């Protein structure tokens, strides 16, 4: 299955189930993944916002870090305040480079004796090498024998209450070892849709059985990568490699909220000098939401202009938001044009389409308390 | 007398006299998924065979629709601006895109008829 040549298409433990469910399979980050099921992206998106969607995110990297002081160790690589986390709490942060660029974004859960880290599929080999190089005094273990399922939506908690009542006690951005239908899982109250939900790390051998159990619940339907993208875009969440990458800093990306006062003051992560300078003096550009005024979506790469026709930025993610029932986008604009409500134009197929800088999220977050 | 012809890019053209109505096939709409916007050309625009005649935006991506033959755009389907999902619901009738006044009806001869297109799709 795995192959260092990169030519082999990888599969998750749910591959056969996706095919059985009629998933339209596409290559994604080296994996054969469902972009949609027969219901289609629009229906899958809306189902997740009104009931519960089941996502296979097993392609993402799950990593366990152990050693003398994993909290202090990972803080050498990320600007997030991991030390401020109580055991069982989690945080969104990013690996930065020496220029303050973003190597990947990740979720870090502090557990009693280790850290549980989830990284992007496309970055995971690099991330694991980066962690091993930076944390040579610690053990960095890829949990390759675990699948990751996300159950997202307003009915997710009711579904979990039937299968694993303990999980429903978790607050947003918390995690715990929970037995789900007899399977030893690590469950977090988190997700990538803007909705309440859970991510369930499950042994790969139990993944299909657990997925079938979840899908047997009346509220739950399978959701592909297409709706995952439209859901996260409406929620204003970044997609690595598109909205953030090594050319964007966390400050430009409007992710300064992920860096605590202590970390801003103390630094101690790659690119801290650059990021501290940007926090003090501002940046030349900012990631913002963009709301086209018409019906035409503006895709990634669309030039953003001021009303006079001067180029001020570029769309980094754009498409149609089924919940807002309108096109939505995000991108970078020159500072000064970044306030919500600022009129801009989008150059789509040679036409200048009116749009406004918009506050994000486009669809309100509805996380658990 | 009308005739219908199909392209390998999954456009259909239904011709009556020298006017052809162009759309995409049901197979094409099923591949594109939920259509949220259709960018149509200006009436009066002259298209050569293979020119971009329209752009169809699904939730996920934009796809170009090509002129199956050469001609002048004499009408566009105004219903699509308010109801782009018509392309999903009635791809081969009410979900048409443009009407062309054909400049070279002989170009139709290089397209597939219904039976040939059906076989083509089955072979995909």
């Amino acid at each position: 299955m795995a192959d260092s040549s990169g030519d082999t298409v990888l599969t998750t433990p749910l591959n056969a189930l996706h095919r059985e469910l009629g998933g339209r399979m596409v290559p994604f980050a080296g994996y054969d993944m469902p972009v949609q099921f027969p219901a289609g992206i629009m229906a899958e998106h809306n189902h997740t916002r009104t009931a519960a969607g089941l996502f296979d995110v097993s392609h993402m990297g799950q990593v366990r870090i152990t050693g003398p002081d994993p909290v202090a160790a990972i803080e050498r690589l990320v600007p997030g305040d991991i030390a401020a986390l109580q055991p069982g709490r989690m945080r969104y942060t990013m690996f930065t480079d020496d220029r303050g660029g973003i190597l990947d974004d990740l979720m870090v859960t502090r557990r009693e004796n280790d850290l549980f880290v989830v990284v992007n599929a496309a970055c995971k080999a690099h991330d694991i090498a980066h962690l091993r190089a930076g944390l040579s005094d610690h053990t960095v273990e890829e949990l390759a024998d675990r699948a990751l399922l996300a159950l997202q939506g307003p009915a997710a908690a009711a579904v979990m209450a039937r299968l694993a009542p303990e999980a429903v006690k978790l607050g947003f951005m918390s995690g715990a070892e929970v037995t789900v239908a007899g399977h030893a899982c690590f469950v977090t109250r988190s997700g990538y849709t803007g909705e309440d939900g859970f991510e369930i790390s499950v042994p790969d051998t139990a993944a299909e059985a657990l997925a079938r159990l979840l899908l047997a619940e009346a509220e739950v339907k399978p959701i592909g990568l297409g709706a995952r993208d439209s859901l996260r875009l409406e929620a204003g969440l970044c997609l690595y490699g598109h909205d953030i990458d090594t050319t964007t800093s966390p400050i430009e990306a409007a992710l300064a909220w992920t860096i605590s006062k202590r970390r801003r003051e103390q630094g101690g992560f790659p690119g801290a000098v650059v990021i501290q300078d940007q926090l003090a003096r501002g940046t030349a550009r900012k990631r913002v939401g963009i709301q086209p005024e018409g019906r035409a979506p503006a895709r990634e790469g669309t030039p953003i202009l001021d009303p006079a026709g001067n180029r001020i930025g570029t769309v980094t993610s754009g498409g149609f938001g089924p919940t807002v029932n309108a096109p939505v986008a995000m991108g970078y604009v020159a500072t000064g044009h970044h306030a919500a409500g600022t009129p801009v134009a989008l150059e789509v197929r040679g036409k200048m389409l009116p749009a406004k800088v918009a506050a994000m999220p486009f669809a309100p977050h509805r996380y658990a308390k | 007398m009308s005739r219908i012809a199909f392209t390998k890019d999954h456009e259909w053209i239904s011709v009556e006299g020298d006017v052809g109505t162009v759309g995409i096939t049901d197979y094409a709409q099923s591949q594109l998924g939920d259509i949220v916007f259709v960018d149509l050309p200006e009436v009066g625009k002259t298209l050569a065979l293979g020119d971009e005649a329209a752009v169809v935006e699904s939730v996920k991506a934009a796809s170009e629709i090509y002129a199956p033959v050469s001609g002048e755009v004499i009408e566009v389907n105004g219903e699509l601006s308010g109801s782009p999902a018509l392309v999903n619901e009635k791809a081969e009738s009410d979900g048409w895109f443009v009407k062309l006044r054909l400049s070279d009806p002989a170009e139709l001869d290089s397209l597939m008829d219904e039976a040939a297109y059906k076989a083509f799709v089955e072979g995909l």
Side-chain angles (χ1 to χ4, degrees):
Chain A
M1 205 169 81
D3 184 328
S4 60
S5 74
D7 293 326
T8 306
V9 176
L10 303 171
T11 56
T12 74
L14 298 188
N15 192 268
L17 178 60
H18 296 322
R19 291 172 177 279
E20 179 185 318
L21 294 169
R24 184 177 298 170
M25 307 304 287
V26 298
F28 180 82
Y31 284 79
D32 182 47
M33 297 297 284
V35 66
Q36 65 168 82
F37 291 90
I41 295 173
M42 194 93 82
E44 292 170 29
H45 178 113
N46 290 331
H47 186 83
T48 305
R49 290 259 187 263
T50 54
L54 181 67
F55 302 73
D56 179 14
V57 288
S58 305
H59 55 310
M60 297 186 79
Q62 301 181 66
V63 178
R64 189 167 87 109
I65 302 171
T66 50
D69 191 350
V71 169
I74 201 169
E75 283 199 352
R76 300 198 296 258
L77 299 182
V78 302
D81 197 335
I82 309 306
L85 291 173
Q86 296 296 317
R89 299 282 297 164
M90 65 194 292
R91 184 153 279 181
Y92 172 69
T93 189
M94 53 280 319
F95 294 120
T96 48
D97 67 19
D98 289 338
R99 296 171 303 144
I102 300 172
L103 295 166
D104 195 9
D105 58 347
L106 62 148
M107 287 286 197
V108 180
T109 307
R110 182 176 189 174
R111 303 193 292 201
E112 283 295 343
N113 301 309
D114 63 14
L115 296 178
F116 174 67
V117 174
V118 177
V119 301
N120 281 303
C123 301
K124 70 180 166 184
H126 182 267
D127 289 344
I128 289 164
H130 183 64
L131 280 165
R132 286 185 176 141
L135 279 55
S136 54
D137 49 344
H138 285 69
T139 302
V140 176
E141 177 192 359
E142 183 183 0
L143 305 177
D145 59 351
R146 296 187 81 86
L148 192 63
L149 308 185
L151 183 70
Q152 300 279 299
V159 170
M160 284 301 276
R162 284 173 228 140
L163 273 68
E166 285 299 303
V168 184
K169 295 179 187 166
L170 291 168
F172 182 57
M173 296 298 270
S174 300
E177 303 279 352
V178 176
T179 301
V180 185
H183 307 297
C185 297
F186 185 74
V187 178
T188 63
R189 194 88 180 247
S190 67
Y192 193 46
T193 60
E195 299 295 328
D196 184 18
F198 302 85
E199 292 199 351
I200 308 166
S201 173
V202 55
D204 55 6
T205 50
E208 186 178 323
L210 178 57
R212 285 185 189 278
L213 267 178
L214 289 164
L215 289 167
E217 298 295 319
E219 301 96 328
V220 182
K221 287 185 175 164
I223 312 295
L225 292 174
R228 181 170 160 83
D229 191 51
S230 56
L231 288 158
R232 70 89 198 169
L233 175 57
E234 280 187 340
L237 302 173
C238 291
L239 176 60
Y240 190 79
H242 300 261
D243 309 305
I244 49 175
D245 59 27
T246 55
T247 71
T248 62
S249 79
I251 312 307
E252 291 173 319
L255 299 173
W257 61 272
T258 67
I259 312 177
S260 69
K261 184 161 176 278
R262 175 182 69 86
R263 301 282 351 241
R264 292 177 192 207
E265 286 171 4
Q266 293 179 357
F269 51 86
V273 172
V274 175
I275 288 169
Q276 286 165 330
D277 179 70
Q278 291 183 349
L279 282 164
R281 305 199 309 176
T283 58
R285 60 179 185 156
K286 274 278 187 209
R287 182 177 64 93
V288 296
I290 302 282
Q291 178 72 68
E293 289 181 4
R295 302 299 295 174
R299 306 288 177 181
E300 179 177 2
T302 298
I304 305 172
L305 303 101
D306 68 11
N310 302 301
R311 179 79 180 259
I312 55 166
T314 306
V315 170
T316 52
S317 283
F320 186 81
T323 302
V324 299
N325 188 27
V328 290
M330 66 169 86
Y332 286 81
V333 296
T335 303
H337 298 275
H338 65 286
T342 305
V344 297
L346 302 170
E347 188 181 342
V348 176
R349 295 185 284 275
K351 294 174 203 160
M352 297 301 162
L353 306 180
K356 280 196 166 65
V357 174
M360 289 192 287
F362 295 100
H365 291 162
R366 301 192 294 177
Y367 299 131
K369 291 282 180 331
Chain B
M1 195 188 84
S2 72
R3 83 188 255 204
I4 187 159
F6 298 84
T7 72
K8 289 186 176 177
D9 296 319
H10 308 283
E11 291 104 7
W12 56 264
I13 180 166
S14 170
V15 182
E16 282 195 36
D18 64 347
V19 174
T21 303
V22 177
I24 61 171
T25 65
D26 197 54
Y27 174 84
Q29 72 75 22
S30 74
Q31 292 295 305
L32 292 172
D34 302 303
I35 289 163
V36 297
F37 181 75
V38 182
D39 202 356
L40 294 168
E42 300 284 326
V43 171
K45 185 173 183 179
T46 300
L47 300 174
L49 187 159
D51 280 357
E52 182 183 295
V55 175
V56 175
E57 300 261 9
S58 68
V59 178
K60 190 93 187 117
S63 308
E64 289 82 26
I65 305 305
Y66 302 105
V69 296
S70 307
E72 180 192 347
V73 178
I74 58 167
E75 192 179 342
V76 299
N77 187 352
E79 289 292 308
L80 297 183
S81 62
S83 306
L86 263 183
V87 181
N88 292 118
E89 292 153 9
K90 296 181 175 179
E92 299 188 12
S93 57
D94 295 357
W96 63 275
F97 294 166
V98 297
K99 293 190 180 186
L100 299 176
R101 189 175 308 285
L102 275 54
S103 55
D104 182 4
E107 288 171 346
L108 292 167
D109 297 339
S110 58
L111 303 181
M112 289 175 275
D113 65 14
E114 195 152 13
Y117 177 71
K118 192 160 174 268
F120 171 69
V121 168
E122 279 167 4
L124 292 176

